[in-house]
Amino acid sequence: MIRHGSLRLRLFILILTPLVLLAILLGYWRYTVAQQTAQELFDDSLLSAGLAISRDVAVSEGDALSPTTRSLIRDASGGEIFYHVTGPGGIYVTGYAYPPATAKPSEQDIYQPHFFEAVYRSEPVRVLKMTERVALGNLAGDATVTAWQRLADRNNFANELSIRAAILMGILLATLAVVVWFGVARGLRPLLDLQDAIDIRSPDDLSQIKRPVPVEVHGIVRTLNRLFGQVEHSINAHQVFISEAAHQLRNPAAAVQSMAEALRDAKTDDDRAKRIVELVAAAKNSATVADQLLSLERLRQPTHQDQMEKIDFRLVVEEACAEMGVHILAKGIDFEVSMPGSAIMASGDQVFLTEAIKNLLDNSVKHGGTQLSRISVTLRCDGGHVKLTVADDGTGLSPDQSEAAFSRFSQLEYSQGSGLGLSIVSAVAERHRGTVAINQVEKGASITLELPIVL
């Protein structure tokens, strides 16, 4: 439940965090727009009041303001409006005695309404000053109306609008948070149920998940089932490999033990010398099987990029043939090597490639039979590939025997081999994106290892 709650909380935070940030940005934008809009509306209201005062002064010749104008001034949305009116020649007509003055006289048309900010009785105010041509009694000239409002009243009104919008946005955000919290819980329920179903399984249970799940989870279930199948196949392959390896190592180990006991019980020096030779051969055979088993296991592991390097495959073949040639010639078998004089570059693991070549040669020696008299190695380029062919005149090997020949621990007939040599060659070829195949020949055996060339 702790894991479930933690996952639910993380998803909740992940979803809600950008929404909160967006709400903050929208709130700031809404506050800015509200201030700007309020400023425009209040200026329009101040202008309407100024026009109404100017009209009443002209109609009443400066005597009084109409009740409608007084109501407009008193109930203005931006707060109380103060005013001051002067007639032709600057004579005082009505209103407050001392209006606020602008710090910098405007150079614009005096008959255009002019807005500015000033200080009136230690308070910042927004001022409208407008001038019109009027006739008051016997006087005719310019009448100036100055009207102003406290900025504090305006700001309070704009802040009130912003606070109302913020409260509304907060309520919507809180509602959204509740919906997201329970929505995440409901959306995660199938995954959490699936997690519980997998959690109660035993380590040996790799069977497919068959419980009903929503359509959105079908892809996850298919992937898990495919993964379970791959893991089960890998485990079974390892178990089979371990079983076969134990079986193959049992015989060499028993042979070494038997030879050691025979050496201990030898009665003559000749018999003891003979047993020592047999013991050394059995120990070598046991070590060879162990090395081949380790090679197969290493070939099962994924290929790392640092293991693959650009190498001269011709030099790899030359070194492997030089090492194996000593043993082949010591057995009285003719050994021929034919290869180009120039370098042949390939990408691969030099250790595995050398082992594959040695196994091809060792396969000819161990499975060639009594009639084996010649082994040849031919290296040639064919298009974008390099082909290495190992041929002998021993016991025949045909392409239809490929499956048995390249299988692990498989031998077409009894020999001193372990049945792992050609299996290792096949694994090396696959690891290097190449192929290995048995060629159709009239006599003996011929196997070709083909690898791509790197330019």
Side-chain angles (χ1 to χ4, degrees), residues 316-327 335 337 361:
V316 176
V317 175
E318 184 177 339
E319 292 176 4
C321 290
E323 183 177 344
M324 291 296 296
V326 177
H327 304 287
F335 186 49
V337 179
L361 296 171

Side-chain angles (χ1 to χ4, degrees), residues 194-209:
L194 182 61
Q195 177 183 344
D196 293 336
I198 297 175
D199 194 46
I200 62 176
R201 286 190 172 201
S202 66
D204 298 328
D205 186 5
L206 294 175
S207 59
Q208 291 191 350
I209 301 173

Side-chain angles (χ1 to χ4, degrees), residues 315-378:
L315 293 180
V316 176
V317 175
E318 184 177 339
E319 292 176 4
C321 290
E323 183 177 344
M324 291 296 296
V326 177
H327 304 287
I328 295 174
L329 294 173
K331 295 179 178 292
I333 303 172
D334 294 336
F335 186 49
E336 299 177 0
V337 179
S338 175
M339 63 178 65
S342 58
I344 302 176
M345 306 308 296
S347 176
D349 187 322
Q350 184 170 349
V351 175
F352 281 136
L353 290 174
T354 301
E355 187 170 358
I357 298 169
K358 289 181 179 180
N359 281 332
L360 286 174
L361 296 171
D362 188 63
N363 178 75
S364 293
V365 173
K366 290 182 177 179
H367 299 280
T370 57
Q371 67 270 36
L372 178 65
S373 62
R374 182 182 60 84
I375 297 176
S376 65
V377 176
T378 304

Side-chain angles (χ1 to χ4, degrees), residues 198-265:
I198 297 175
D199 194 46
I200 62 176
R201 286 190 172 201
S202 66
D204 298 328
D205 186 5
L206 294 175
S207 59
Q208 291 191 350
I209 301 173
K210 297 182 179 179
R211 65 184 299 134
V213 294
V215 177
E216 294 79 6
V217 192
H218 283 176
I220 297 177
V221 173
R222 282 196 301 268
T223 303
L224 285 175
N225 286 336
R226 183 169 62 252
L227 177 62
F228 286 161
Q230 293 172 347
V231 172
E232 185 175 19
H233 179 269
S234 178
I235 292 176
N236 291 337
H238 273 91
Q239 290 176 344
V240 171
F241 178 79
I242 292 172
S243 176
E244 292 176 342
H247 175 73
Q248 291 296 323
L249 288 173
R250 185 183 299 115
N251 292 336
V256 171
Q257 180 181 359
S258 176
M259 296 302 174
E261 292 174 351
L263 177 62
R264 181 193 60 190
D265 298 335

